Amino acid sequence: MKSITILIADDEAEIADLIELHLEKEGYRCIKAFDGQEAVSVVQTHSIDLAILDIMMPKLDGYEVTRQIREQYHLPIIFLSAKVTDLDKITGLIRGADDYVTKPFNPMELVARVNAQLRRSTQFNQSTQANKLALEAGGMIIYPEERTVFLYDKPIELTPKEFDILYLLASYPKKVFRVENIFQQVWGDAYYEGSNTVMVHIRTLRKKLGEDIHKNKLIKTVWGVGYTFNG
């Protein structure tokens, strides 16, 4: 499993060392930087999962480091700063930080905040990946991970077999599937002659997709052969 790497950018070596000590106890790998330019360079040359940035750093301050990171990368950023007013915190969040911790700080609280940000980042990435796998055609979106279907932004309630048929056809648009092929792939069983199971399911599927009222026929019958997705 990939180890999680955290950037600690602070011009006070004692603080950076203290944070590193506690994060390494949690199993994280840490890379330290002591000015803003070095912090940007680390992000550009390493796979960083989260950054802890001091605001007042030499060469580039934390705001500018965050701006440059956000131009190319999507990773959680926690500001760690001696700037303690509510306005400072609000400014930090507006400038792109995901969280804001004031100095002096409790190392265990910082670790807890790091864990929370990494959990959120993982959930977001998983959701994004699932969305990338979504199929879109003819006003319809299919989310295979959630097994949900939306047609013109309206959820369509399908049975498991109806969903499997639709997803199979939509995964290979324009490809013609014979009835026996659909049965074998969806039911996982040998097709027996004369079965109208697939035809019945496709009939109810078409009704749920509103093919009787929409001009765009998503499932097309190829007479004498089978069915194809026409999205």
Side-chain angles (χ1 to χ4, degrees), residues 158-224:
L158 301 179
T159 66
K161 289 294 187 284
E162 289 167 354
F163 178 88
D164 290 341
I165 291 172
L166 179 62
Y167 186 65
L168 173 65
L169 296 177
S171 296
Y172 302 92
K174 308 303 181 183
K175 177 179 178 178
V176 179
F177 284 85
R178 294 182 177 276
V179 172
E180 54 265 38
N181 296 145
I182 296 173
F183 188 89
Q184 289 166 354
Q185 294 200 45
V186 172
W187 274 264
D189 201 356
Y191 177 77
Y192 51 96
E193 194 67 31
S195 170
N196 64 354
T197 302
V198 172
M199 290 180 283
V200 170
H201 277 75
I202 287 184
R203 187 182 306 127
T204 58
L205 180 56
R206 280 172 160 166
K207 186 174 181 180
K208 290 182 178 181
L209 294 176
E211 291 205 349
D212 53 338
I213 58 176
H214 296 302
K215 292 183 180 180
N216 187 15
K217 305 297 182 184
L218 293 172
I219 300 176
K220 179 182 177 182
T221 299
V222 181
W223 296 107

Side-chain angles (χ1 to χ4, degrees), residues 7 9-10 19 50-57 60-67 69-70 76-83 87-103 105 110 113-114 117:
L7 165 64
D10 198 305
I19 297 171
L50 181 144
I52 300 171
L53 305 179
D54 185 19
I55 293 178
M56 304 303 292
M57 289 188 291
L60 298 176
D61 64 21
Y63 297 142
E64 178 60 20
V65 173
T66 298
R67 187 191 68 78
I69 290 175
R70 290 286 185 240
I77 295 175
I78 299 176
F79 277 158
L80 181 64
S81 176
K83 298 165 73 70
L87 180 59
D88 292 325
K89 296 175 185 177
I90 293 169
T91 300
L93 296 173
I94 291 174
R95 292 291 191 95
D98 297 285
D99 202 351
Y100 193 108
V101 178
T102 60
K103 298 177 180 178
F105 63 96
L110 179 60
R113 289 173 182 260
V114 166
Q117 289 299 326

Side-chain angles (χ1 to χ4, degrees), residues 22-129:
H22 284 272
L23 289 177
E24 287 185 341
K25 287 181 180 178
E26 292 288 307
Y28 299 129
R29 174 174 177 255
C30 298
I31 299 177
K32 293 180 290 187
F34 301 102
D35 64 63
Q37 284 186 359
E38 186 181 5
V40 172
S41 177
V42 168
V43 173
Q44 292 173 338
T45 56
H46 296 77
S47 179
I48 301 299
D49 298 287
L50 181 144
I52 300 171
L53 305 179
D54 185 19
I55 293 178
M56 304 303 292
M57 289 188 291
K59 299 184 181 180
L60 298 176
D61 64 21
Y63 297 142
E64 178 60 20
V65 173
T66 298
R67 187 191 68 78
Q68 293 192 28
I69 290 175
R70 290 286 185 240
E71 286 181 346
Q72 300 183 58
Y73 307 97
H74 299 281
L75 59 99
I77 295 175
I78 299 176
F79 277 158
L80 181 64
S81 176
K83 298 165 73 70
V84 298
T85 70
D86 288 341
L87 180 59
D88 292 325
K89 296 175 185 177
I90 293 169
T91 300
L93 296 173
I94 291 174
R95 292 291 191 95
D98 297 285
D99 202 351
Y100 193 108
V101 178
T102 60
K103 298 177 180 178
F105 63 96
N106 183 326
M108 296 310 298
E109 178 187 354
L110 179 60
V111 169
R113 289 173 182 260
V114 166
N115 291 336
Q117 289 299 326
L118 288 171
R119 281 196 302 270
R120 290 173 191 156
S121 178
T122 299
Q123 291 167 358
F124 173 80
N125 290 334
Q126 289 174 344
S127 176
T128 300
Q129 183 62 30

